Amino acid sequence: MSLLGRYLVSLALIAVAGIAWFGERFVVRQRVAALAELRLDRFQADLNAVDAAVARSNANGDYFRFLGARPGKDNDAVLLNPRNDLVESAVLLDRNFMTVARSGRDLTADERGISKRYQQKNLITDTALIRKFILTDFDGKGLAHLVLVVRPDLKNSHASLFALPYDLSTTAAFSRDNFNKDEKKLVSVLLAAQSDRLREFTIRGQRLASVRRALMPENLILYEVNPLPPVYAYFSTYLLILVILGSLLFLWRGFAAQRYTRRELSERTLHGFKSALGAREQQIGVLARLTESDNSIKEKLVASVDKEAEIEERLSQARAEKPAAAEPTPLVIDIMPERRQFRFMNPARVVAAAPQADRLNEGERKLREKAFSTELRGLMDELAKPATPAPVGGGEGDLIREIEAFETAHQYPPIDQYLYYLNELYFDDVTPAELAEALRVAGDAVQSQSFALLLYDAAGAYFKTAFVHAAPESLRQTFFLLVRDTVIPNDFADYGYVTATAQLKKNPYFRKRLPPEFGEALKGVHVFSISESYLRARIVFFDTARGGEIADAGVLSSIRAYLRQLAPAVHMYIADQASMAATGDARNLAVWSVKELRESIRRLEDGATWISQYVFESGLKLDEQLSLMSDIGRTLESGEKVVMLSPTRIAVVHRQGAAKLIEERVGRVGKKFIVKESEFGKTSRNLYTFAEF
């Protein structure tokens, strides 16, 4: 077999062994997952059996004999525990959550507080799962509470069982000896991030597989963590090692066989050389035999020469007898030479061509005079003059003055060279002076030194002046732009120009926005729309000198690119100004609330929109607020929103039919509340009437 074939065979065997290795690991992992699913099914069936046993005992009145005892008496009620292998302790509590009877240990302070605080059936602590049942009489009236501390006996087992609620707030680890305290915390974090059915992870060098089971009606997520076998425990690992070693040996034997094959090729080459030498010897023998018959060949040549001489003699006689032909008249063609001038030049002498004046027509002459202005001619004359020597004794001062004059002349770069201003702008906090300097670069391109920055105000639905430079300060309070403005149109995609005609200057709405002196000198306004970096703004350059829009597409494109780079800086400046403003004002809170409500209403325009307000009797604590917001948020659909107006009030924007589910979530807080529900737009469209504090 050739060496290439050996390579292909080795690669095929290694590929088969690798597939077998991955296949065996996959089969083992799926088998572990299947066994974990069976154990989780058994655990779920045990929980259902416990629920059925408690319901049956409650219906039969088996718990009535424990309710007459004083708290703390008859603490060894073994009959309270329906499953000793699953339930660690069963505790019977009265309405004040005092222990009436128990089977096993009593509840800890944390477990008793959780049972009293929450109304859910399943409660999770760090070490156990608590299932709470309400015991009733034959009329269905609640008498007491039965609390079962569920902790399956997993001691000396390879599997570890964990339980988490849907909000992933607490992790219950049922295993006693598989993980220590730090490892349980690490496993809890990894399980909280798991969303797939099966996941593998490594804890301190040990490979583990986690199987997830979600019990939505129980508000419970179960995880069973099983250790996976190490690499050396797989049979395919040794098969892969043997195949690799065998392939290396197979290739080594191929290299050894290839060495002998090269020797055979050398011997065949030498044999071919010997055959060629033998053929050469045979040709030399043939040539030697030809030289032996040289004399007979010469005799044949002499005889042939005598016959040729006789033939030539006969031909000459025939030509002499033939009459001579008349000579043809020659054709003479006269070629007249052209008149040329020749000049002999000395190769050692270089002769320059005589200069010829360019002849320009009238249009070219005017174009040349227009291109070469007076300043350009003066600059060319200065360059053509010979350099004057620098005066002795003051060279350094003149050089400094020339540098300063050069910096003064080139202080403001063109619009496409704004990197210096951007570096200065984004080096630290954006100040008003830096923002004005950066925007003035764009103002130089449109030949305008006065400009204003307007931001969109969602509360008033108009563009409000936020920054003014080189213009009257009163523009901050008077100048504004509407979204669909009929006085100063500004609904442009990128750029637009509005000419300040005499009729526009007489418009009373125009005169209210601009001071009289400033408005009379105005020839028009350049309006640039900015929508980058979550910013909706208008940059207005007041035209008092140019008197027309920008027609050069290149200049306009460079200005747009420059303003697009300034958008983040404008956003930073506005954010800094907003943070410096006074906080805690009820008006600011109302504006924020109305903004949030309006944003949700816009997204729910496809149908009827309802706004429900829930007013609590007393304020909610911070953890209660966060828990309630999270609980309501999980029930909301796309576009719906919950807003916390104050510790005693929340507002929910939702579609029709979702109020009952939201009210159920609010009722879980355990505090009295009233509901104010109304359809938006039916009685009022003023959102400030819904934002009460």
Side-chain angles (χ1 to χ4, degrees), residues 537-606:
R538 299 285 189 267
I539 299 180
V540 178
F541 293 94
F542 300 100
D543 185 9
T544 58
R546 183 186 182 94
E549 64 178 346
I550 303 173
D552 192 347
V555 174
L556 184 60
S557 177
S558 60
I559 295 174
R560 280 290 303 153
Y562 180 60
L563 295 179
R564 192 180 298 111
Q565 297 290 333
L566 287 183
V570 175
H571 197 178
M572 293 165 57
Y573 172 76
I574 298 303
D576 293 341
Q577 295 296 322
S579 63
M580 293 171 60
T583 58
D585 191 356
R587 293 174 297 177
N588 297 336
L589 184 58
V591 171
W592 172 82
S593 303
V594 169
K595 179 180 178 182
E596 295 293 329
L597 295 176
R598 180 180 290 111
E599 180 182 354
S600 179
I601 290 172
R602 287 177 180 174
R603 300 179 63 182
L604 297 176
E605 291 180 350
D606 54 346

Side-chain angles (χ1 to χ4, degrees), residues 363-377:
E364 294 176 348
R365 185 179 60 79
K366 291 181 178 180
L367 181 62
R368 184 172 183 179
E369 290 179 355
K370 185 178 180 180
F372 291 91
S373 60
T374 306
E375 298 178 358
L376 185 58
R377 289 177 181 176

